[in-house]
Amino acid sequence: METLFIYIAKSSGLIGMFYIAYYFLLRKETFFTANRWFLLAGLFTSAILPWIVFTTIVWVEPTSTNFDWSKLPMRPVQEESFEINWYLVLVAAYIIGIVLFLAQFALDFYNLNRVLKGKTIHRQADHKFIDLKENIAPFSYFNTIVYNSSLYSESEMESILEHEKVHSEQYHTIDVLITRFFCILFWFNPFIWLYKNAILQNLEFIADSEATKNISDKKAYQLTLLKITTHENCVVLTNHFYQSLIKKRIVMLNKNQSKKWNSWKYALVLPALIAFVFLFQMEVIAKEKNVNPKVEQSASDDVDVYKITKNTTEAELKEKAEILKEKYGIQTTFSKIKRNSNNELIGLKIKLQKGKEAATVTEVDSSEPIKDFAIAISKNDNGTTNIGIVTEENRKNDKLTLSNNVASHNISIPDDTNIFIDGAKSDKTEMDKLDPKDIATMNVIKNNDKQEIRIITKNFAKIGSENDIYINDKKVDQNELDNLDQGTIERMDVNKDGKTIRIITRNRVSQDINAPVPPTPPTPPTLASKIKAPAFPKAPKAPKGDPINGDKKAWKDFEKKMEEYDAKMKKLEPQMEAFDKQMAEFDKQMEPFNKQMEAFDKQMEVYEKQMEEYQSKLEKENK
């Protein structure tokens, strides 16, 4: 289950990376076909690359241990109580989202088939043409082109059909369906919806660019674009002539072709992919020669032993945790894993917990490789489970016992051991006074030759569950509160009504005085454009049937309305001429604006460097 979340996170990150690369590097270029393949490659790479893991196996000499597993310190654990599995909650929410979007997809597919079903089809070469009577914007679906010829003139129909033929011949419907499939799988990722819009917009750029090559009057094509904007009834899952960003399409139609040397921008995504592989897809596995034990049985067959050495790999730790979970219901967490240059374990934190009972926590943090130890599990005759963590020192000292996670009086604790109870520094005398039933957790932390014991009582543990805790204005959990040194607290404000506790440390007070000043971002240029397309009258809707066999009165009224519609369109001709002049003026305004944008991009590069320096200073201040 954790593997699923990791895969989804990696894929979502790659989708975001490809979209950002397209938006900042390729969006304004006229390499429309290359952009199409770049965007599709980004989707497939995001889906496939997280599954590819490059492994390196390092063979090491086996470590011999001679533990007497029959003398293991144990502690009884109560029967497991109910607790919420948040992984299952997240998986359920994810599946519900997929089901809802699949239902929406099925509904859209049904509506599309309802439009196409039972209509007269005219075949021409490899294309199928359907002339509808409904007021629906023209669209194509694979090799089927749908339109309402009664709403457009002959020249307008020529522009529309050339446009839709490009969609059909280049199989743009496949792009639409692939994008929709990824939107269903990654519905929670905002980048996938931006990605979808980028793909659909680029397909329209391709169709516009190819269609105008076969049309003599380029301005007439642009006028047809504007006219189609009055029809808002579009069918999803298709490539339709109407798209909302008409202004961008007209701008791209009139834009000069990008220079070929700008193609180098596509290669910029390769370093990011290589970095992703080295950071997330490389795994080093250390294996002992001729040794592959999973569980070592002691002299007593009732004890299961899981050995951990300096050469134990993350994969082996994960395998041990899964066995303990499946066999005994013990939640095992390995964290704070550190290794030296020889890939040997030098730091590790282990948390063993069954149900809501007190957890056994052991942590080692050293500059030297860890000493061999083991997790030992056994079951009593009454059905309770015993858990023990044994080291070579424990084996030699039979005095060590654990009872409800509290060290017994006969344990030999070094004099230089630091003991903390509920975050406050204490001593062994105070620790011995504690009632074992009042203990929530006890962490034993070893750092080289020094040892630290941190005990959290059940009353103190309730603070995090019943209140919102803020340390230096940052919301923290119970674990961070437990590790806070009470000697560093400058001020603590408790709001009983709002159930919040706000803590300010002395370190924060000094940081606020010397806090660095963030840089000021540059102001982007603005393009003052007041171009407004003429308001086209709404075309009358044709009655059902045909003029010969249909309702003759209705058709006569329709003819009158069409005459009025044509008259209104003729009156708009002066406005269209004025609009052409405005578009020409707009093209002139774009030249200085593009130069201003180039200057702004350079200012943004300087600002980003300043922000990196500012973040670096903040990190130094926080340390």
Side-chain angles (χ1 to χ4, degrees), residues 396-456:
K396 294 177 180 179
N397 182 10
D398 293 337
K399 293 181 180 180
L400 179 62
T401 60
L402 288 176
S403 175
N404 289 334
N405 213 30
V406 181
S408 301
H409 293 277
N410 58 355
I411 292 179
S412 177
I413 298 178
D415 295 334
D416 61 348
T417 299
N418 293 322
I419 300 174
F420 295 88
I421 299 176
D422 292 338
K425 193 166 184 180
S426 185
D427 53 30
K428 187 176 183 300
T429 303
E430 294 296 325
M431 183 181 73
D432 292 339
K433 293 179 181 179
L434 288 174
D435 185 349
K437 296 181 180 179
D438 293 335
I439 299 296
T441 61
M442 183 178 76
N443 295 355
V444 181
I445 304 171
K446 296 179 181 180
N447 190 352
N448 293 331
D449 296 331
K450 294 183 180 180
Q451 183 169 287
E452 180 180 294
I453 299 176
R454 288 185 174 269
I455 299 174
I456 303 300

Side-chain angles (χ1 to χ4, degrees), residues 182-234:
F182 274 85
C183 286
I184 293 173
L185 288 182
F186 298 93
W187 58 266
F188 56 90
N189 185 1
F191 279 110
I192 193 62
W193 301 103
L194 297 173
Y195 210 107
K196 171 192 172 185
N197 293 337
I199 287 180
L200 297 182
Q201 186 181 99
N202 186 68
L203 293 179
E204 294 305 315
F205 292 159
I206 293 174
D208 290 338
S209 177
E210 295 298 322
T212 51
K213 292 179 182 179
N214 300 324
I215 296 175
S216 59
D217 193 347
K218 195 173 182 179
K219 287 188 177 181
Y221 182 86
Q222 297 177 30
L223 293 177
T224 304
L225 280 181
L226 291 172
K227 180 176 179 180
I228 300 302
T229 58
T230 60
H231 300 283
E232 299 178 354
N233 297 327
C234 303

Side-chain angles (χ1 to χ4, degrees), residues 338-354:
K338 295 181 182 179
R339 296 184 182 273
N340 58 18
S341 57
N342 295 325
N343 204 34
E344 297 173 327
L345 280 173
I346 59 174
L348 178 65
K349 182 178 180 180
I350 304 174
K351 182 179 179 182
L352 302 170
Q353 187 166 23
K354 186 176 177 67

Side-chain angles (χ1 to χ4, degrees), residues 7 30 39 61-62 84 111 114 141 171 179 233 327 337 348 388 435 442 559 565 589:
Y7 168 77
T30 58
L39 290 170
E61 294 296 330
I84 298 175
N111 291 333
R114 192 173 62 176
Y141 181 70
Y171 304 102
T179 307
N233 297 327
K327 194 170 182 180
I337 300 175
L348 178 65
D435 185 349
M442 183 178 76
E559 290 175 359
Y565 174 77
Q589 293 177 5

